[in-house]
């Protein structure tokens, strides 16, 4: 996908299998059988995005890494495929100059550090929300893969960019704060001329949330704020020349919102 002269390429690190219960105890597959088509489950990507401008190679989200997490019927995450996708694009870990993590859940920062805590992307600066540092890295009681927490704590501080407000990362690549799913959750805006693409992380997990505003994510740290921010983003996606994709959208397909009486998702 091209946004002006910026190349935007979706990649997946593996599979996120979600049952209706991922979206809340009250959620059933009824009316959404297409989405939960595989034995009552949705098979979704663990999405990442590669952004290439003339001079920069930026990765948005770093997958699950060579790891899995099994929460039974509600959620199963199996990572490990991101290096293959990068290689297919002719990109080596050392080519990546910047990694932006939309948030620090395990399926978005899993490749940042190897099992010894050493950086996987040796030249990359890492950008993420400051409040996620306090929530995840600094709090030993919040679950995080041990080697990722260790890697963050041992990392060269000059390479870590903790952000708490909308920030420009590179020409045409901006961070906007979209808290709720996690305290420091952010989204990335890729823009060129009048065209914009929003990389939504888990601020919108699934386009169905447009029609089903009570669908949450079991990962939402502040569900009420997450719902507010989701609606704000859906409104933004009503704009002309704007498309968006979340990290777990089916096939990582971009879409937008058709406004008006027949308001609906156009994928
Ligand atoms: Zn996620």
């Amino acid at each position: 996908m091209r946004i002006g002269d910026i190349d935007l390429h979706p990649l997946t690190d593996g599979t996120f299998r979600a049952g209706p219960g991922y979206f809340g105890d009250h959620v059933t597959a009824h009316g959404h059988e297409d989405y939960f088509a595989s034995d009552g489950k949705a098979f979704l990507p663990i999405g990442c995005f590669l952004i290439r401008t003339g001079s920069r190679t930026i990765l948005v989200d770093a997958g699950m890494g060579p790891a899995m997490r099994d929460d039974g019927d509600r959620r199963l995450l199996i990572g490990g495929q991101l290096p293959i996708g990068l290689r297919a694009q002719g990109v080596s870990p050392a080519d990546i100059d910047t990694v932006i993590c939309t948030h620090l859940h395990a399926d978005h920062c899993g490749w940042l550090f190897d099992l010894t805590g050493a950086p996987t992307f040796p030249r990359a600066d890492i950008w993420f929300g400051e409040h996620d540092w306090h929530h995840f890295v600094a709090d030993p009681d919040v679950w995080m893969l041990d080697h990722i927490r260790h890697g963050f704590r041992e990392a060269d501080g000059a390479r870590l960019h903790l952000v708490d407000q909308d920030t420009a990362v590179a020409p045409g690549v901006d961070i906007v704060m979209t808290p709720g799913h996690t305290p420091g959750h952010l989204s990335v805006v890729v823009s060129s001329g009048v065209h914009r693409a929003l990389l939504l992380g888990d601020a919108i997990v699934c386009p169905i949330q447009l029609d089903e505003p009570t669908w949450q994510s079991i990962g939402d740290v502040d569900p009420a704020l997450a719902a507010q921010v989701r609606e704000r983003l859906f409104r933004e996606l009503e704009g002309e020349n704007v498309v968006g994709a979340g990290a777990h959208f089916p096939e990582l397909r971009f879409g937008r919102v058709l406004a008006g009486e027949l308001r609906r998702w156009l994928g």
Side-chain angles (χ1 to χ4, degrees):
M1 175 166 170
R2 303 283 299 181
I3 301 292
D5 49 9
I6 299 175
D7 184 59
L8 180 55
H9 189 86
L11 296 164
T12 182
D13 186 40
T15 298
F16 166 33
R17 189 190 71 179
Y22 173 82
F23 296 98
D25 291 337
H26 65 294
V27 175
T28 69
H30 183 70
H32 301 289
E33 286 81 2
D34 285 357
Y35 186 69
F36 298 107
S38 299
D39 207 14
K41 306 287 192 307
F43 275 70
L44 306 169
I46 300 175
C48 313
F49 292 89
L50 182 67
I51 301 170
R52 281 174 290 194
T53 72
S55 57
R56 303 287 297 269
T57 304
I58 298 171
L59 182 65
V60 176
D61 280 336
M64 181 80 191
M68 64 177 280
R69 178 170 179 169
D70 187 352
D71 298 300
D73 267 354
R74 298 196 300 179
R75 171 175 61 184
L76 172 68
L77 291 157
I78 305 176
Q81 305 302 312
L82 178 62
I84 300 168
L86 288 172
R87 193 179 168 83
Q89 287 299 306
V91 174
S92 77
D95 293 332
I96 295 190
D97 57 67
T98 305
V99 182
I100 305 171
C101 291
T102 58
H103 62 298
L104 297 187
H105 275 150
D107 54 321
H108 297 261
C109 62
W111 281 106
L112 287 183
F113 307 105
D114 68 17
L115 290 176
T116 71
T120 307
F121 308 104
R123 292 194 321 112
D125 280 17
I126 301 170
W127 297 67
F128 56 93
E130 180 177 357
H131 292 293
D132 271 22
W133 174 278
H134 300 305
H135 183 78
F136 292 99
V137 184
D139 184 349
D141 293 332
V142 172
W143 185 81
M144 192 175 211
L145 289 166
D146 285 339
H147 64 279
I148 299 295
R149 178 176 277 127
H150 177 67
F152 270 118
R153 289 184 172 174
E154 296 294 310
D156 174 0
R159 292 215 176 271
L160 301 182
H161 302 261
L162 284 63
V163 294
D164 67 351
Q165 58 187 333
D166 298 356
T167 305
V169 175
V173 181
D174 294 89
I175 283 171
V176 293
M177 302 312 296
T178 49
H181 182 67
T182 64
H185 192 286
L186 57 84
S187 298
V188 177
V189 183
V190 180
S191 59
S192 180
V194 296
H195 298 281
R196 282 189 300 148
L198 307 186
L199 307 178
L200 301 161
D202 289 0
I204 300 174
V205 175
C206 155
I208 295 173
Q209 288 174 302
L210 178 69
D211 298 323
E212 303 281 6
T214 69
W215 284 27
Q216 304 171 344
S217 152
I218 53 172
D220 286 347
V221 173
D222 183 339
L225 180 59
Q228 264 176 39
V229 167
R230 247 191 332 268
E231 178 54 22
R232 190 187 96 202
L233 289 165
F234 278 132
R235 294 249 169 248
E236 204 164 325
L237 287 164
E238 292 178 355
E240 262 180 63
N241 303 314
V242 186
V243 293
H248 305 298
F249 277 20
E251 298 170 26
L252 295 174
R253 265 200 316 271
F254 282 81
R256 54 181 290 267
V257 175
L258 178 68
E261 224 168 290
L262 295 171
R263 191 176 191 234
R264 67 176 191 276
W265 184 258
L266 296 173

